[in-house]
Each structure stands twice: as C-alpha cells, then as structure tokens.
C-alpha cells in the first residue's frame, strides 16, 4: 500500500490545450459574465462563478490533455482566474471608453493623472463601488474600500479556481495504459464504532482484518466511513487499485453535509485480492440485523 504520486508528465499537446483553454476560455467566459453583470451583479456569487469557471476549464483541459503535473494544472487555474477577472474589468473599460467620447484619455489624465486601463481602474475606484439591495441606493465603499473589495473578489476567484484545479491534479493516472482511472465505485461502509479498528488495521497493512469491519454503505450516519475503489479501465484488477476512505459528516437531522477523504492509497493486485476476499458477504450481514 502506498500513496499515489502523479508522474509529473505533461504531453506537449496537453500543454497547448491547457494554455489555449486558460486564455481563450476565460476571456470568452469573462465577456459573458460581464454581459450578465450589466443586468444584475450579485456580490460573492459572481466571484464564485468566475472561480468555478477558471477552475473548471483547467480541470477539463488537464483531464482531456492527460496532464499529470499538479503544478501546471493549478497554475492554469490561478492564471485563468486572473484572466477571467481581468476580462470583466477590461470589458467595463471598453464600455466606458465607448460611452465617454473622444476625450476619454484627457479626462482620465485630468482626474487621476493616468490614462488607459490603469487610469480607468483608478477612476472607478475613486467613484467607488456601491453595494446594496436591488432597486435601492447602495452604500458606496469609497476609494480604499473599492480596492479592498476588488482584492477580496480576486482572492475568492483564485481560491475557488485553485481548489478545483488541485482536485483535477489529484486524479489517478495509469502510466502503463496512458488512461485516467475510472470514477470511484463504492465497496461498502464502516459503522462509526468500527471506524478506528478499520483504519488501524489498514495502517498496519492487515487487509483481511480491515475488510472484516466492512458492511453495507450507511447513509446519513455521522462519522461513518464510505469505502470505494478506482481501477484503471484497461488493467482492472491486474493493475494497482486506488482505495479511498471517506468520512461522512451529517447535521443534527442526519442529512449528509459532506464527506472528507481520510485515506487514499494504491493497493497492489495481491493486497486488493486479500482485502476484497475478506469482506463479509451482504447476506450474512442482513441475518445479523
Ligand atoms: Zn492501466
């Protein structure tokens, strides 16, 4: 049993694809978000949307381009976040230029001592961003407040984009077949009482003992474990198998809030066989109930 380490490899075609999708994809998406924002701009929601777009584009291009280099994927996500946010401000600037007539640069120079895009940003900050409820006069954040607000927006975008891209980078790839592993298939669950025994046995690499704690997947039980596996679509049981253990978190009413991955390791085919063979059959379990 060992943790998965990406090989760091990235085919040239994949890098091309990642680069193009990062720049072009985010500029196009930024333009669309700008248009949408002219109708209605919802604070927090728009930065989240932009971050998800930049991260999603990095994810898709890395997956399609078979990029196994987390650094590249995360960098593309972060760069994409800058691109998409820059585009929305850039589009505002284009609209501002077209609405302000021929003397726009002179005007900016007069007001903020700088022309062009930078002058426009300074001027917009000076005017201040207003936030508030729809249909009412908002609160003007003032010049400093506006810069801070823009920085917070950018930070949200970068965090979301980075997190999504990082998720893509931790996908498992079979170097032998040059294929991504299939998505996770559930094997079973471990009740909260047996959780520690299970994890200890797994840590000790005692796969048949660990497997004995596995029963049916429990839904809506706080701190129950969900066990699943991922296989290479070509190697199947002949190759290394990714075993993942996720811990469920539920609220007071038993609704599933989220699952946290507590362990993710590659098993050799032999280890996997030992593990799977020792899982109690479902029928024996239902007799106990
Ligand atoms: Zn394979």
């Amino acid at each position: 049993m060992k943790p998965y380490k990406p090989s760091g490899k990235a085919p040239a075609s994949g890098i091309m694809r990642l680069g193009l999708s990062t720049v072009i994809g985010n500029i196009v998406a930024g333009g669309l978000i700008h248009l949408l924002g002219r109708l209605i701009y919802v604070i927090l929601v728009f930065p989240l949307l932009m971050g998800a777009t930049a991260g999603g584009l990095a994810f898709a291009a890395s997956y399609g381009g078979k990029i196994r280099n987390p650094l590249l994927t995360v960098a593309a996500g972060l760069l994409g976040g800058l691109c998409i946010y820059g585009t929305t401000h850039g589009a505002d600037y284009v609209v501002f230029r077209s609405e302000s007539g021929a003397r726009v640069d002179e005007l900016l120079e007069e007001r903020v001592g700088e022309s062009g895009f930078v002058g426009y940003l300074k001027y917009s900050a000076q005017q201040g961003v207003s936030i508030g409820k729809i249909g009412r006069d908002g609160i003007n954040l003032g010049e400093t407040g506006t810069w801070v607000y823009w920085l917070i927006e950018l930070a949200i975008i970068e965090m979301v984009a980075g997190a999504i891209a990082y998720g893509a980078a931790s996908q498992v790839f079979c170097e032998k077949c040059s294929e991504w592993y299939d998505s996770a298939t559930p094997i079973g669950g471990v009740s909260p009482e047996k959780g520690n025994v299970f994890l200890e046995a797994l840590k000790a690499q005692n796969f048949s003992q660990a497997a004995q704690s596995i029963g049916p997947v429990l839904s809506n039980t706080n701190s129950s474990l969900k066990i699943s596996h991922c296989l290479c679509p070509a190697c199947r049981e002949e190759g290394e198998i990714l075993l993942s253990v996720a811990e469920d978190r539920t609220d007071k009413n038993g609704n599933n809030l989220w699952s946290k991955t507590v362990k993710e390791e590659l098993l050799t085919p032999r280890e996997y066989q030992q593990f799977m063979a020792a899982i109690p059959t479902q029928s024996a379990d239902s007799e106990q109930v």
Side-chain angles (χ1 to χ4, degrees), residues 25 31 45 50 53 55 69 118 120 131 135 150 156 176 178 242 250-252 275 280 286-287:
V45 173
M50 286 187 252
T53 305
N69 189 322
V118 176
Y120 164 72
I131 56 170
W150 284 341
I156 293 172
K176 201 176 102 199
S178 191
L242 184 82
T250 56
D251 65 10
K252 290 194 296 282
F275 186 77
S286 50
E287 274 166 33

Side-chain angles (χ1 to χ4, degrees), residues 43-282:
I43 60 162
L44 291 178
V45 173
F46 269 64
L48 288 173
L49 185 67
M50 286 187 252
T53 305
L57 283 167
F59 194 132
S62 293
Y63 195 87
K66 296 188 173 173
I67 288 180
R68 292 94 79 191
N69 189 322
L71 219 65
L72 268 179
T73 305
V74 171
L78 297 178
L79 185 68
L82 278 178
C83 267
I84 198 166
Y85 194 49
T87 302
T88 58
H89 278 289
D92 287 340
Y93 170 60
V94 171
V95 171
F96 173 78
R97 279 199 83 92
S98 68
E99 284 172 355
S100 304
R103 287 186 58 248
V104 58
D105 281 318
E106 253 173 81
L107 217 107
L108 286 174
E109 196 82 51
E110 235 169 69
R111 293 283 183 90
V112 291
E114 208 153 350
S115 60
F117 181 56
V118 176
Y120 164 72
L121 280 183
K122 283 187 172 172
Y123 174 72
S124 302
Q126 214 176 58
Q127 300 296 303
V129 165
S130 290
I131 56 170
K133 292 202 175 123
I134 299 158
R136 289 198 208 159
D137 281 341
I139 307 154
N140 193 307
L141 296 176
E143 190 171 355
T144 313
T146 298
W147 285 112
V148 171
Y149 174 74
W150 284 341
L151 274 179
I152 292 172
E153 280 197 323
L154 184 60
I156 293 172
I157 293 169
E158 293 294 73
M159 273 192 289
V160 174
I164 294 175
Y166 184 77
S170 53
Q171 301 271 312
V172 177
F173 192 84
C174 178
E175 295 293 335
K176 201 176 102 199
C177 312
S178 191
E179 288 285 352
W180 294 103
Y181 273 42
D182 282 338
S183 48
T185 317
I187 300 175
V190 175
S191 63
E193 306 83 61
K194 291 182 183 169
N196 277 336
V197 176
F198 172 79
L199 288 172
E200 282 302 316
L202 206 60
K203 205 172 146 195
Q205 312 239 12
N206 193 338
F207 300 104
S208 22
Q209 199 207 324
Q212 276 157 29
S213 304
I214 296 182
V217 176
L218 297 163
S219 48
N220 305 332
T221 310
N222 197 32
S223 12
S224 68
L225 301 177
K226 271 198 189 109
I227 322 300
S228 54
H229 65 182
C230 300
L231 307 173
C232 162
C235 298
R236 307 294 305 167
E237 276 94 5
E238 312 282 298
E240 289 183 309
I241 293 102
L242 184 82
L243 185 78
S244 39
V245 181
E247 188 176 335
D248 273 351
R249 287 269 170 248
T250 56
D251 65 10
K252 290 194 296 282
N253 304 318
N255 296 312
N256 223 69
L257 297 177
W258 50 284
S259 294
K260 176 184 149 209
T261 304
V262 287
K263 206 161 186 63
E264 210 162 53
E265 302 261 353
L266 287 173
L267 302 187
T268 64
R270 203 184 135 75
E271 291 169 338
Y272 177 73
Q273 248 175 21
Q274 283 175 359
F275 186 77
M276 295 305 275
I279 296 177
T281 52
Q282 300 284 53

